[in-house]
Amino acid sequence: MPIHSRNSRLPSLLLAALLSLSSGAQAHDDEHAVVPDTAGGRLRAQVVLAQLNASELLPSQGLPGLLMRGDPGVDQRGGQLEHGVLAAGWRFNPAWSAELAVGAHGRDPSHLEAASLRWQQQRGALAWSLALGRQSPAQGPVIGPAGHLDRFGLMPLAKAAQTDGDWIADGLQASLQLPLAGLDWRADLGLWSGRGVPGRMFPAGQDSPVAPSLHLGLSGDGAWGDWALDAFAADIQVRSRGSRFISSSGAHSHQAPACDTALNQVVCFDGDARLRGLSAQWRSAPLPLSVSAALLWRNESGDLQSRNGQGSYRGRNRGGWLQALWQLAPAWEAGLRHERLSARQALIGPGANLLALDAGLDRYAPLQRSSLMLAWRCADQATLYLEAGQERADANGGQRSSYTAVRLALSWERGEH
């Protein structure tokens, strides 16, 4: 029997994008910024310490009902290391460079975020490059850096639902940049290990083959300011992706459970995952204002099974965010972000009801989050953020949780520029 979850009206996001202000200025617009322009090395350390206060658990914790890894998620309340990154870049010569980055979150073990070798060439206005190793597939300057040492403390809902946070993969990526007709054009084509990386396997599976990705970007400037449009797509053949039975008392872990013949407390998915993303940004020239919007999709179809049943699954997860930044003074900045995440899912087959309960699909609810931010750059290498927000789950009468956060971002850098 079919089991459907409710779908929200994402077109309202597009209408709101015309009426609200959001930012294209993110924490890192250049994914290779740690690599110096001239021969030599550069070392950079960045840390964000956070104290988040909320009377109740945030409804988004673990993203229940969206066929994720079944992890109960991290309770964001209290003081913690939100994110720490130690990165090193080295330029051997104009053509060759390398990058290495190690990151840490909360009480989780440290992990390798980047380890890549890059070759680049330029002929006239045309520039191209090849990067091999662990890196982030190109998604554009709005989606890629969001939630990573960001101005706002929580990972965007849509990005968390699509790739379980930052998209980190092992593979090869070719990039091409060309100014043409007064505009800057960019294309990135990647081939990635379908198994993902430790702690960052989702949405792939333990036996997934190589997956392609494509990013296209277009940017320009004028009397009213700079603008950019970006789109990306990736198709993954998911093989043996495990999800734990939903449990609020389970322990948090980034490791995906194994799909084996026992299927002990595990739901297993085999099928296709199609990732899509669109983003736009505009930075005003006459005003200290920037505007951006992003939409993300994760569409999946295939076979889902547990020890209690087997069925044909189809899921359409979609979400997005709007963000506004206003430079109040040289050291002061204010921001606004509004997010929404929804899904439409169907499961058909023998034992579909029990299988849906195992996967936690009955716990689905559309999610919304709105947050306000005030930033003060109190020193050259320190910024203090004050944030207030609310999350809402629109199901069974609705669940709301308001929160406040104080965050301190520290950075240190040494080496060539």
Side-chain angles (χ1 to χ4, degrees):
M1 63 182 297
I3 298 176
H4 297 282
S5 58
R6 295 182 295 176
N7 183 31
S8 70
R9 297 183 296 274
L10 266 183
S12 62
L13 276 175
L14 298 177
L15 177 59
L18 301 176
L19 303 176
S20 63
L21 309 176
S22 68
S23 164
Q26 299 288 347
H28 305 290
D29 286 348
D30 184 358
E31 64 270 34
H32 305 291
V34 73
V35 176
D37 296 330
T38 57
R42 180 186 297 169
L43 186 64
R44 174 186 295 158
Q46 295 170 290
V47 173
V48 179
L49 304 175
Q51 172 72 39
L52 187 144
N53 299 309
S55 58
E56 300 177 354
L57 291 176
L58 298 182
S60 64
Q61 182 176 318
L63 296 178
L66 293 180
L67 197 60
M68 305 294 290
R69 292 179 293 107
D71 189 273
V74 178
D75 188 348
Q76 301 283 354
R77 296 176 298 177
Q80 60 181 299
L81 171 65
E82 179 183 299
H83 199 171
V85 177
L86 180 62
W90 187 271
R91 181 165 296 283
F92 305 99
N93 54 48
W96 290 93
S97 63
E99 181 180 4
L100 180 69
V102 177
H105 304 263
R107 297 180 178 85
D108 291 342
S110 59
H111 56 277
L112 191 62
E113 294 191 354
S116 63
L117 181 66
R118 189 168 182 251
W119 173 81
Q120 64 186 55
Q121 290 290 317
Q122 185 162 351
R123 181 170 298 176
L126 177 63
W128 64 94
S129 66
L130 286 173
L132 175 65
R134 184 160 300 180
Q135 54 193 304
S136 294
Q139 297 170 282
V142 174
I143 297 173
H148 181 89
L149 300 169
D150 203 352
R151 291 177 172 90
F152 293 84
L154 298 176
M155 179 67 65
L157 296 170
K159 190 171 177 178
Q162 188 185 69
T163 52
D164 196 20
D166 288 330
W167 189 4
I168 301 173
D170 292 334
L172 174 69
Q173 185 162 240
S175 303
L176 179 70
Q177 299 181 64
L178 174 65
L180 183 63
L183 301 175
D184 293 325
W185 302 75
R186 173 166 177 163
D188 302 273
L189 178 63
L191 292 175
W192 310 101
S193 169
R195 296 187 178 186
V197 301
R200 286 289 184 269
M201 182 181 291
F202 191 86
Q206 60 195 44
D207 298 321
S208 298
V210 171
S213 72
L214 175 64
H215 163 256
L216 299 175
L218 176 63
S219 60
D221 57 67
W224 291 96
D226 302 334
W227 58 271
L229 299 173
D230 290 88
F232 81 88
D235 290 337
I236 302 174
Q237 298 179 38
V238 182
R239 298 294 178 264
S240 302
R241 187 181 79 202
S243 299
R244 299 173 183 84
F245 282 14
I246 294 293
S247 172
S248 58
S249 60
H252 164 65
S253 171
H254 282 290
Q255 300 301 321
C259 285
D260 52 26
T261 55
L263 288 177
N264 185 28
Q265 296 292 302
V266 170
V267 177
C268 194
F269 174 74
D270 285 85
D272 297 314
R274 292 169 294 280
L275 312 182
R276 303 290 186 265
L278 294 173
S279 65
Q281 66 173 354
W282 172 67
R283 299 178 181 178
S284 173
L287 298 173
L289 165 69
S290 56
V291 179
S292 71
L295 294 174
L296 296 175
W297 294 264
R298 175 168 63 94
N299 298 337
E300 294 186 325
S301 59
D303 297 325
L304 191 66
Q305 62 175 328
S306 73
R307 297 180 65 176
N308 296 318
Q310 182 173 359
S312 176
Y313 172 80
R314 186 173 68 253
R316 303 289 184 266
N317 300 338
R318 58 202 66 192
W321 68 87
L322 307 169
Q323 183 177 294
L325 289 180
W326 185 274
Q327 196 74 39
L328 302 173
W332 291 86
E333 185 179 55
L336 166 67
R337 178 183 283 177
H338 179 70
E339 309 175 41
R340 189 167 182 87
L341 174 65
S342 66
R344 183 174 181 84
Q345 303 175 94
L347 182 60
I348 302 174
N353 279 333
L354 287 176
L355 180 56
L357 292 175
D358 292 341
L361 302 186
D362 60 308
R363 299 177 61 186
Y364 163 77
L367 294 171
Q368 292 190 63
R369 179 193 294 153
S370 298
S371 49
L372 293 169
M373 178 275 299
L374 180 65
W376 173 43
R377 190 171 183 82
C378 48
D380 289 342
Q381 298 174 333
T383 303
L384 184 66
Y385 296 93
L386 303 178
E387 186 175 344
Q390 183 184 82
E391 284 194 4
R392 188 176 76 193
D394 299 327
N396 301 322
Q399 177 187 354
R400 296 174 184 261
S401 180
S402 298
Y403 65 89
T404 58
V406 179
R407 306 167 62 237
L408 178 63
L410 304 172
S411 64
W412 175 87
E413 186 174 296
R414 177 169 292 181
E416 299 295 330
H417 289 273

